[in-house]
């Protein structure tokens, strides 16, 4: 049974590339020892607090733990972030940065590249102390075109992006229904789920030729093609 | 003869005894509550006391400062109220100005009022609260003599009622002897309604208030249109117009008529259907509901008064208020769902003395005939619903503290003293206030002082104030306790405004789709700037907007009446026209399953393509069923991992599972036991996410989610988080947050009526369970079966549920080439 089989990671072969989807909402490119994530939205809670919404803290720390787990499991040397690293300029507030600096100190040799997204343009680049290289997309690496927003072309056969925060709905017997964040595999592209757990459903609408891989707890559930 | 009596005589009226009683009591400085049927002179009973006082005490050449605040629950009523209040003022030459101030009031008028208040201000609880946010509101209200709260029964059992109480407490603090009079329809608990309005003195006793009974309700006749062919009549669903021919017959014989509907969708549908069937009636037929543009609504109200419109299809937007001329005929589409509502709507007809009010009910599905029959019995037995006031809503408290802070600031002591003069917060503890203050100053215990978050700042003088202009701006726009989806304006491409619909409806449309709104078929062109642009449609209608809003549940009183009516049917007593008409359906129920006797609990079990169904019929009303469904699901799921979805209506509930539920085992293990009830119900609420749903309202009222600035061009998505997401964050990182507990308490107390749930369980535990296995659903089961609004509860791991769904999906997918075969 293919669909009932769930694991923490699922290999995908596309255009001669070997990629691995991880339930931590990250994509691995083993040949480059690189990990790809999108839409971290650091400081979203801080931004809301600044507007008078009394949000408790802890979300960013939780997200960072998940990031550490998958970095450790894949033993990645590179981290490519496909945009919206910071939700707003509040992402770079001193207080918001405390857990981030602690995390960075534990991964000193990790090379991090940020492909700027729409939020990053408002938030500004991360402080130099984080050692993150910032570029505008498309950022082409190992035959992959990396961008924040979906686009056509991009200078490589395979295109990887974020921005859409894709989620998929599942329905079953007994009128059971759930909505899960998901990876989307298209004919020549991959869309990543939002890495941040403090985001809602995005704007992705399935179209023919696409296939979703739902993320549930610590497993990936491949779903039949649209 | 006094000038007032001369004016009455000129109108060819003579004052009623209860009106004189109120005027005299007012002159003595008393406050009170007047209850009477709609259209029996309540307005002038309350209004002419202050007017008489003005006649006796003022100089004719000086415009008087603010003397009276007239609170109305619906801003749509303001215009009519203004007209009614002006009539005696103008005729008697009282030097008063009368003006409205609501969300509909023009900015220029509001600006003028900022400099000079009218002598009598007609406003809503929200707009009044906004005035209290101004730091000079003390001076503005210093000359006030009276506050009159219209339609108090509408506000009483809601957070808007509590908001009104808070505003009254503020006004009493400024003018201690201000007189407060309420106007109410008849209720089952009038003393409570009065005491709530009067507030509480410093020592905790209710302030005195007079209860004045107005005119005795007239004779009311309740009649039903009965379907000719019962076997073709639907068993469920409220959006059908099967009864249209009979409705047209009745309308043809009337000079003026109101067709009341229960929802805005029904309203649009019936208006369209009537006009399609009788195009010649189009010019004197109109529709009226709360989402239409205010000018359009006013034109309809004026048209009804002047006789330009003979037929108006309306929702509860026409339930309230103003004494427009009574109509010949009142039709009620669907069940009235409550005795008070039935009386109120019937009261719209036949006002002249000695005439009978008559209401004709139009069923939209078979079982509504049972409800109408039961409603008539309950009405005759005078079983009118009580409405209980709200107790200490902390979300509103959080909102009100910001209001007080903006309105000049407060100290902890002064706030506590003032809050405790309301009935809603009379029992507020110092700890609860302390929590609310912490929450507004630094976010509470779990938020270790975030400098960027501070709605209130406490100065060295112990006074709480708002120092952040953005916080102030957001608060002012967020005031109120009415929760709705983001609404999208509907406008012609040429520019004219039609009204508003909810964003979620527009989101489902694609350009070119045709939908019914404002009585017109509209083609959707595009959405831009929070506006849906439309043009006149050439093709046929495809969709009717559905507005969010709770479906009206059957009142407790009517639910009890329904049980008695069904018992009569079981015993073979079909002695009303409605019961005789619905007899074939009830016979079919008896034949396929049974009509349970009062000491029996009927459970029907059957399997369909959807899964395994359990239908349970306590006949206790939707709210209790929601709690029972969650409790049943929770208790059954304790036996082994299982997932349920559930649907509820006024008669019972359905539990649906992918596998057969171990019902017998659960009954054995105490499914109906009232032991550990509080524990089980609390856990089932969380499991069923009922509290998470309730949190939507609380988050909005407490200012955690922000609905946006008016006329905002761009979406505020980047600074918004859904209340569900917020609930999850709180539940995870700040589980002791009192707003979470409030959500739980609100569900327990108000939604589920926990104490009633206990009584119901005791009743059910003593009853005989009749478990019947069926091969197809019964007439009672059918409405539940097709209900798409479902709750859910599960003790399975999410991953397991997802795996099962994915496997099913795989089976259903035709054997297309799969992306990649796996071993």
């Amino acid at each position: 049974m293919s669909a009932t089989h769930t694991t923490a990671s699922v290999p995908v072969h596309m255009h001669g590339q070997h990629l691995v989807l991880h339930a931590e909402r990250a994509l691995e490119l083993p040949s480059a020892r690189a990990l790809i994530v999108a839409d971290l939205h650091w400081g979203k809670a801080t931004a809301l607090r600044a507007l008078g919404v009394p949000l408790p803290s802890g979300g960013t720390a939780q997200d960072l733990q998940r990031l550490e787990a998958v970095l450790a499991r894949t033993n990645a040397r590179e981290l490519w972030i496909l945009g919206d690293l910071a939700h707003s300029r509040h992402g770079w507030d001193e207080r918001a940065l405390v857990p981030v600096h602690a995390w960075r100190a534990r991964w000193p040799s990790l090379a991090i590249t940020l492909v700027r997204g729409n939020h990053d343009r408002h938030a500004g680049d991360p402080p130099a102390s984080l050692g993150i290289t910032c570029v505008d997309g498309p950022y082409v690496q190992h035959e992959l075109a990396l961008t924040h927003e979906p686009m056509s072309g991009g200078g490589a056969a395979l295109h990887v992006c974020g921005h859409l925060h894709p989620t998929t709905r599942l329905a079953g017997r007994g009128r059971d229904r759930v909505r899960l964040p998901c990876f989307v595999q298209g004919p020549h592209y991959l869309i990543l789920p939002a890495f941040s757990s403090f985001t809602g459903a995005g704007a992705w609408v399935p179209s023919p030729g696409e296939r979703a891989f739902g993320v549930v707890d610590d497993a990936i559930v491949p779903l039949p093609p649209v | 003869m006094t000038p007032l009596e001369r004016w009455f005589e000129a109108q060819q009226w003579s004052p009623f005894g209860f009106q004189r009683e109120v005027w005299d009591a007012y002159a003595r400085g008393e406050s009170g509550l007047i209850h009477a049927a709609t259209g029996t002179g309540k307005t002038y009973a309350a209004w002419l006391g202050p007017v008489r006082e003005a006649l006796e005490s003022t100089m004719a050449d000086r415009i008087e400062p603010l003397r009276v605040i007239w609170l109305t629950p619906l801003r749509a009523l303001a215009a009519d109220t203004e007209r009614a209040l002006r009539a005696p003022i103008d005729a008697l030459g009282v030097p008063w100005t009368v003006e409205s101030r609501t969300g509909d009031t023009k900015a220029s008028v509001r600006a003028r009022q900022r400099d000079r208040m009218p002598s009598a201000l007609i406003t809503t609880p929200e707009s009044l609260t906004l005035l209290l946010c101004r730091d000079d509101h003390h001076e503005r209200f210093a000359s006030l003599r009276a506050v009159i709260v219209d339609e108090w029964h509408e506000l009483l059992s809601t957070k808007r009622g509590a908001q009104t109480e808070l505003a009254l407490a503020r006004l009493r603090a400024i003018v201690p002897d201000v007189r407060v009079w309420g106007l109410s329809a008849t209720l089952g608990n009038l003393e409570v309604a009065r005491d709530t309005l009067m507030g509480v003195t410093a020592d905790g006793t209710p302030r005195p208030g007079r209860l004045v009974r107005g005119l005795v309700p007239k004779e009311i006749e309740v009649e039903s249109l009965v379907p000719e062919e019962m076997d073709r009549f639907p068993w469920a669903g409220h959006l059908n117009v099967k009864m249209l021919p009979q409705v047209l017959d009745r309308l043809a014989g009337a000079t003026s008529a109101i067709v009341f509907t229960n929802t805005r969708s029904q309203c649009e549908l019936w208006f369209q259907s009537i006009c399609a069937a009788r195009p010649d009636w189009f010019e004197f037929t109109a529709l009226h509901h709360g989402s239409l543009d205010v000018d359009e609504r006013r034109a309809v109200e004026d048209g009804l008064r002047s006789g330009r419109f003979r037929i108006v299809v309306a929702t509860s937007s026409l339930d309230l208020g103003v004494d427009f001329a009574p109509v010949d005929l009142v039709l009620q589409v669907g069940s009235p769902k409550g005795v008070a509502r039935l009386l109120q709507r019937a009261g719209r007809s036949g006002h002249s003395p000695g005439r009978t009010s008559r209401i004709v009910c139009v069923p939209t599905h078979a079982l509504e005939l049972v409800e109408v029959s039961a409603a008539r019995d309950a009405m005759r037995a005078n079983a009118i619903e009580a409405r209980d006031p709200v107790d200490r809503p902390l979300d509103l408290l959080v909102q009100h503290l910001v209001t007080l802070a903006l309105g000049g600031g407060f100290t902890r002591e002064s706030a506590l003293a003032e809050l405790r003069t309301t009935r809603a917060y009379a029992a507020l503890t110092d700890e609860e206030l302390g929590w609310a203050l912490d929450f507004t100053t630094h976010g509470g215990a779990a938020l270790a002082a975030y400098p960027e978050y501070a709605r209130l700042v406490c100065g060295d003088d112990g006074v709480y104030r708002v120092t952040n202009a953005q916080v102030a701006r957001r608060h002012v726009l967020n005031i109120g306790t009415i929760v709705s989806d983001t609404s999208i304006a509907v406008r012609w491409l040429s520019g004219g405004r039609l009204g508003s619909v909810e964003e979620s409806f527009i989101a489902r449309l694609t350009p070119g789709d045709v939908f019914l709104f404002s009585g017109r078929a509209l083609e959707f062109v595009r959405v831009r700037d929070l506006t849906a642009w439309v043009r006149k449609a050439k093709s046929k209608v495809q969709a009717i907007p559905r507005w969010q809003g709770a479906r009206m549940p059957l009142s407790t009183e009517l639910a009890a009446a329904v049980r008695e009516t069904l018992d009569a049917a079981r015993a073979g007593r079909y002695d009303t026209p409605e019961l005789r008409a619905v007899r074939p359906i009830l016979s079919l129920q008896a034949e396929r399953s049974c009509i349970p006797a009062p000491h029996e609990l009927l459970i029907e079990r059957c399997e369909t393509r959807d899964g395994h169904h359990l239908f349970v019929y306590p006949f206790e009303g939707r709210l209790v069923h929601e709690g029972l469904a969650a409790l049943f699901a929770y208790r059954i799921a304790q036996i082994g991992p299982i997932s349920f979805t559930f649907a509820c209506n006024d008669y019972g509930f359905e539990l649906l599972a992918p596998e057969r539920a171990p019902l017998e085992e659960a009954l054995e293990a105490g499914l109906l036991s009232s032991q550990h009830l509080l524990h089980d119900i609390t856990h089932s609420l969380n499991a069923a996410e009922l509290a998470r749903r309730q949190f939507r309202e609380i988050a909005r009222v407490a200012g955690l989610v922000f609905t946006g600035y008016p006329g905002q061009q761009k979406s505020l998505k980047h600074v918004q988080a859904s209340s569900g997401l917020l609930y999850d964050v709180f539940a995870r990182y700040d589980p002791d947050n009192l707003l979470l507990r409030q959500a739980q308490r609100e569900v327990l107390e108000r939604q589920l009526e926990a104490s009633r749930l206990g009584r119901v369980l005791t009743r059910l535990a003593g009853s005989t369970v009749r478990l019947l296995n069926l091969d197809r659903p019964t007439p009672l089961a059918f409405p539940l079966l097709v209900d798409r609004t479902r709750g859910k509860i599960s003790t399975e791991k999410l991953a397991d549920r997802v795996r099962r769904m994915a496997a099913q999906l795989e089976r259903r997918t035709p054997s297309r080439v799969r992306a990649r075969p796996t071993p």
Side-chain angles (χ1 to χ4, degrees):
Chain A
M1 289 288 292
S2 65
T4 50
H5 184 71
T6 56
T7 53
S9 50
V10 170
V12 181
H13 293 274
M14 293 177 79
H15 297 272
Q17 295 266 32
H18 171 64
L19 297 150
V20 186
L21 314 181
H22 290 280
E24 288 89 351
R25 310 190 192 183
L27 175 72
E28 183 192 359
L29 182 63
S31 60
R33 289 189 60 193
L35 200 64
I36 312 173
V37 292
D39 301 288
L40 282 77
H41 291 275
W42 283 347
K44 181 171 177 184
T46 318
L48 284 163
R49 276 193 288 269
L51 285 164
V53 181
L55 274 177
S57 53
T60 307
Q62 197 94 22
D63 281 358
L64 283 171
Q65 271 176 24
R66 186 153 42 89
L67 188 54
E68 293 207 51
V70 68
L71 282 170
R73 195 144 58 86
T74 55
N75 200 17
R77 279 189 312 209
E78 298 238 12
L79 179 65
W80 301 334
I81 299 168
L82 305 191
D84 291 1
L85 174 60
H87 183 75
S88 71
R89 61 189 164 78
H90 292 288
W92 307 133
D93 285 358
E94 210 173 304
R95 184 185 300 270
L97 278 171
V98 173
V100 178
H101 273 124
W103 163 79
R104 189 64 172 111
R106 287 194 292 278
W107 300 85
S109 60
L110 183 70
I112 309 179
T113 307
L114 168 67
V115 183
R116 295 187 189 98
N118 49 327
H119 278 270
D120 300 305
R121 280 189 274 281
H122 293 288
D125 287 344
S129 54
L130 283 175
I132 297 176
T133 311
C134 300
V135 299
D136 286 318
Y139 175 57
V140 181
Q141 285 290 307
H142 297 261
E143 306 288 309
L144 293 183
L146 306 170
T147 63
H148 175 59
E149 295 177 36
M151 57 177 287
S152 51
L158 188 56
H159 173 212
V160 183
C161 66
H163 183 62
L164 295 178
H165 302 196
T167 60
T168 181
R169 271 175 194 281
L170 271 176
R173 198 168 146 89
R175 300 223 175 120
D176 202 2
R177 265 162 230 283
V178 293
R179 185 186 265 286
L180 303 172
C182 65
F183 291 89
V184 177
Q185 182 187 27
H188 43 80
Y189 54 84
L190 272 168
I191 310 170
L192 266 52
F195 189 83
S196 165
S197 48
F198 191 45
T199 54
W204 175 64
V205 184
S207 59
E210 288 184 330
R211 181 175 192 191
F213 294 80
V215 179
V216 50
D217 300 338
D218 48 6
I220 290 199
V221 186
L223 298 169
V226 178
Chain B
M1 203 189 275
T2 65
L4 206 60
E5 280 165 344
R6 274 201 298 281
W7 179 68
F8 255 79
E9 200 162 80
Q11 312 295 312
Q12 297 181 320
W13 295 339
S14 70
F16 295 117
F18 83 94
Q19 292 179 319
R20 287 184 195 279
E21 183 186 344
V22 177
W23 300 340
D24 293 344
Y26 181 85
R28 286 192 301 271
E30 290 183 38
S31 296
L33 181 72
I34 309 162
H35 64 103
T38 313
T40 51
K42 271 183 300 198
T43 304
Y44 286 141
W47 176 236
L48 295 182
V51 169
R52 194 167 72 170
E53 188 176 54
L55 276 172
E56 286 160 6
S57 67
T58 54
M59 310 287 177
D61 55 348
R62 242 186 88 228
I63 294 292
E64 284 265 286
L66 181 67
R67 294 297 190 201
V68 180
I69 293 177
W70 187 283
L71 276 181
T72 172
L74 273 185
R75 60 188 191 192
L77 294 181
D80 276 345
T81 305
E82 200 180 310
R83 219 181 334 244
L85 301 192
R86 271 220 180 109
I89 293 291
D90 292 349
L92 295 166
V94 181
W96 275 18
T97 48
V98 179
E99 288 177 16
S100 312
R101 183 188 181 93
T102 68
D104 293 336
T105 306
K106 281 195 207 112
S108 57
V109 176
R110 282 207 296 267
R112 177 158 48 78
Q113 289 170 345
R114 208 165 298 148
D115 296 333
R116 189 179 172 82
M117 285 281 215
S119 318
L121 178 72
I122 301 157
T123 189
T124 60
E126 289 75 18
S127 290
L128 176 58
T129 306
L130 275 172
L131 288 171
L132 298 177
C133 288
R134 304 179 57 86
D135 56 7
D136 60 350
H137 71 271
H138 289 82
E139 296 118 69
R140 223 165 272 273
F141 292 119
S143 57
L144 189 69
R145 287 177 181 158
V147 182
I148 294 161
V149 184
D150 206 350
E151 312 278 4
W152 175 232
H153 60 282
E154 277 296 319
L155 294 169
L156 177 62
S157 59
T158 66
K159 285 184 194 162
R160 296 183 78 203
Q163 189 177 23
T164 306
E165 289 181 60
L166 289 169
L168 287 172
R170 189 82 282 275
L171 294 175
R172 282 196 192 99
I174 301 167
V175 186
D177 59 352
V178 67
R179 283 155 282 182
V180 177
W181 283 86
L183 310 181
S184 168
T186 305
L187 289 171
N189 56 340
L190 283 164
E191 284 79 14
V192 172
R194 175 199 56 197
D195 292 349
T196 308
L197 190 66
M198 295 301 109
V200 178
T201 58
D203 62 7
T205 52
R207 293 161 60 101
R210 180 179 284 263
L211 197 56
V212 179
R213 181 186 160 121
L215 291 194
V216 199
K218 306 163 280 193
E219 185 69 23
I220 291 178
E221 270 181 32
V222 180
E223 189 195 341
S224 290
L225 295 182
V226 169
E228 276 155 19
E229 294 180 357
M230 205 61 207
D231 55 335
R232 297 253 184 98
F233 201 65
W235 290 359
H238 66 289
L239 284 179
N240 71 71
V241 288
K242 295 266 186 222
M243 300 299 291
L244 182 64
Q246 282 161 274
V247 167
L248 292 175
D249 282 352
R250 290 300 180 110
L251 290 175
T255 22
S256 59
I258 302 179
V259 182
F260 277 113
T261 57
N262 287 341
T263 67
R264 285 168 279 188
S265 316
Q266 257 182 348
C267 183
E268 292 276 354
L269 182 71
W270 278 86
F271 173 79
Q272 187 71 17
S273 305
I274 290 167
C275 292
R278 294 298 302 262
D280 52 322
W281 290 1
F282 179 73
E283 61 184 275
F284 54 77
T285 303
L287 88 168
H288 189 284
H289 64 68
S291 291
L292 295 178
D293 196 53
V294 59
D295 292 338
E296 190 128 342
R297 288 200 305 259
R298 262 182 212 161
V300 173
E301 289 156 22
D302 291 343
L304 189 62
R305 202 173 290 108
S306 69
R308 159 152 163 47
F309 291 123
R310 276 178 40 201
I311 303 169
V312 175
V313 187
T315 62
S316 54
S317 59
L318 265 193
D319 258 351
L320 297 183
V322 214
D323 306 326
F324 50 75
V327 295
D328 292 350
L329 175 67
V330 172
L331 288 160
Q332 160 68 37
V333 173
S335 161
K337 295 290 178 193
V339 182
R341 187 177 294 106
L342 183 77
L343 290 175
Q344 189 161 27
R345 291 187 168 179
R348 284 299 189 196
S349 79
H351 273 187
S352 44
R355 272 189 66 182
T356 305
S357 285
R358 180 190 299 272
I359 185 164
V360 180
C361 295
V362 183
T364 56
H365 63 78
L367 292 170
E368 280 186 337
L369 286 162
V370 178
E371 287 178 39
V372 173
S373 182
R376 185 192 294 115
D377 290 345
M379 182 188 82
R380 287 190 181 144
N382 213 18
I384 297 166
E385 290 85 5
R387 295 196 181 183
D388 293 320
V390 181
D391 179 33
R392 271 178 289 176
L394 294 178
D395 51 350
L396 182 64
L397 176 62
V398 165
Q399 189 185 85
H400 190 67
L401 289 175
V402 182
T403 298
L404 290 178
L406 282 168
F410 64 89
T411 63
R412 183 172 177 146
E413 294 69 33
S414 69
L416 188 63
E418 185 174 313
L419 288 163
R420 282 184 177 166
T421 64
T422 65
R423 195 177 189 279
Y425 295 97
L428 184 75
T429 64
D430 195 46
E431 288 72 37
E432 284 167 325
L433 178 64
W435 176 86
L437 286 171
D438 280 357
F439 192 70
T440 40
T441 45
H442 56 80
L447 279 157
Y450 277 84
E452 71 272 14
Y453 166 75
R455 275 196 277 181
L456 299 190
V457 176
C458 185
D460 295 335
D461 50 357
V463 176
Y464 289 83
R465 294 187 183 86
V466 174
T467 52
N468 179 334
Q470 201 174 17
V471 167
R473 185 149 183 249
R474 267 172 72 108
H475 175 74
V476 166
L477 291 166
N478 222 16
I479 266 180
T481 58
I482 305 169
V483 179
S484 63
D485 231 16
T486 313
S487 66
I488 293 265
V490 181
R491 297 180 70 165
W492 295 115
L493 278 178
S494 51
R497 255 187 79 95
L498 285 160
S500 57
V501 292
E502 283 173 10
E503 192 175 19
S504 54
F505 172 73
I506 290 295
R508 286 197 301 272
L509 297 180
T510 48
D513 281 357
V514 175
F515 66 102
L516 197 57
F517 181 72
S518 180
R520 303 163 173 99
L522 304 175
E523 183 189 323
F524 172 57
V525 181
R526 64 172 165 267
V527 177
R528 212 184 50 217
D529 304 340
L530 290 181
T531 300
W533 299 89
V534 298
R535 60 171 154 244
K536 211 170 155 193
K538 295 187 193 76
S539 57
K540 281 196 65 161
V541 172
Q542 296 150 341
I544 303 173
R546 299 248 185 152
W547 284 267
Q548 197 142 4
R551 280 175 297 179
M552 257 184 289
L554 204 61
S555 72
T556 310
E557 286 73 7
L558 194 45
V562 164
R563 281 201 301 277
E564 282 169 33
T565 306
L566 281 174
D567 191 43
R570 188 190 58 84
R573 288 200 311 276
Y574 289 89
D575 50 11
T576 66
E578 291 85 8
L579 277 183
R580 280 193 289 277
V582 78
R583 183 169 191 161
I585 308 284
L586 294 179
S587 303
L588 187 66
Q589 172 69 31
E591 187 184 305
R592 278 193 197 172
S593 166
C594 77
I595 299 173
H599 66 277
E600 290 174 332
L601 173 63
L602 172 62
I603 303 181
E604 295 173 345
R605 178 156 66 189
C606 77
E607 192 189 350
T608 69
R609 215 177 34 169
D610 279 339
H612 294 265
H613 308 256
L614 291 173
F615 298 100
V616 187
Y617 306 102
F619 297 100
E620 288 281 357
R622 177 193 298 278
L623 297 183
V624 167
H625 293 156
E626 201 165 65
L628 276 178
L631 182 69
F632 270 46
Y634 175 79
R635 285 182 168 175
I636 296 173
Q638 297 313 300
I639 294 171
I642 189 165
S643 300
F644 287 110
T645 63
F646 55 88
C648 308
N649 66 14
D650 290 319
Y651 303 152
F653 58 90
E654 177 206 5
L655 297 178
L656 173 61
E659 286 108 33
R660 191 177 160 113
L663 179 65
E664 285 88 348
E665 214 180 311
L667 282 166
E668 196 82 357
L671 180 60
L672 301 174
S673 156
S674 45
Q675 271 195 329
H676 314 299
L677 178 63
L678 200 63
H679 170 274
D680 286 3
I681 193 79
T682 311
H683 282 76
S684 65
L685 290 186
N686 291 336
E689 303 195 332
L690 292 179
R692 191 173 189 265
R693 227 189 310 154
Q694 185 66 19
F695 194 67
R696 177 170 183 252
E697 177 185 314
I698 290 166
R700 155 76 175 77
V701 174
L704 304 188
V705 289
F706 178 55
T707 45
Y709 300 109
Q712 183 93 19
Q713 294 297 299
K714 289 233 165 56
S715 148
L716 277 171
K717 278 238 161 79
H718 67 291
V719 289
Q720 278 177 341
S722 76
S723 60
L725 213 49
L726 286 172
Y727 183 89
D728 295 341
V729 171
F730 279 117
R732 188 157 184 177
Y733 302 110
D734 188 13
D736 291 330
N737 191 296
L738 286 191
L739 292 179
L740 290 188
R741 276 198 245 154
Q742 185 192 341
Q744 205 166 73
R745 201 184 62 173
E746 278 185 15
V747 179
L748 265 174
E749 285 171 9
R750 301 181 58 75
Q751 305 271 76
L752 304 181
E753 309 179 56
S755 54
R756 200 172 149 217
L757 199 61
R759 284 202 299 279
V760 170
L761 270 182
T762 311
R763 177 174 83 76
L764 296 182
S767 59
T768 316
V769 174
R770 287 192 68 175
L771 173 59
L772 300 174
N773 292 304
L774 308 173
D775 49 5
R776 55 193 166 148
T778 60
L780 281 178
F782 187 72
L784 289 164
L785 189 73
V786 297
D787 195 334
R788 296 276 150 185
T789 317
R790 289 182 165 257
K792 101 185 132 191
I793 206 163
S794 175
T795 44
E796 281 180 294
K797 276 178 32 197
L798 180 62
D800 291 337
R801 277 166 61 204
V802 167
R803 247 171 242 133
R804 185 181 56 242
M805 287 188 244
Q808 267 176 271
L809 202 60
E810 195 87 347
R811 277 201 299 279
R812 248 178 261 151
T813 312
S815 53
R816 269 191 294 177
V817 185
R818 293 201 181 131
R820 207 171 55 84
T822 41

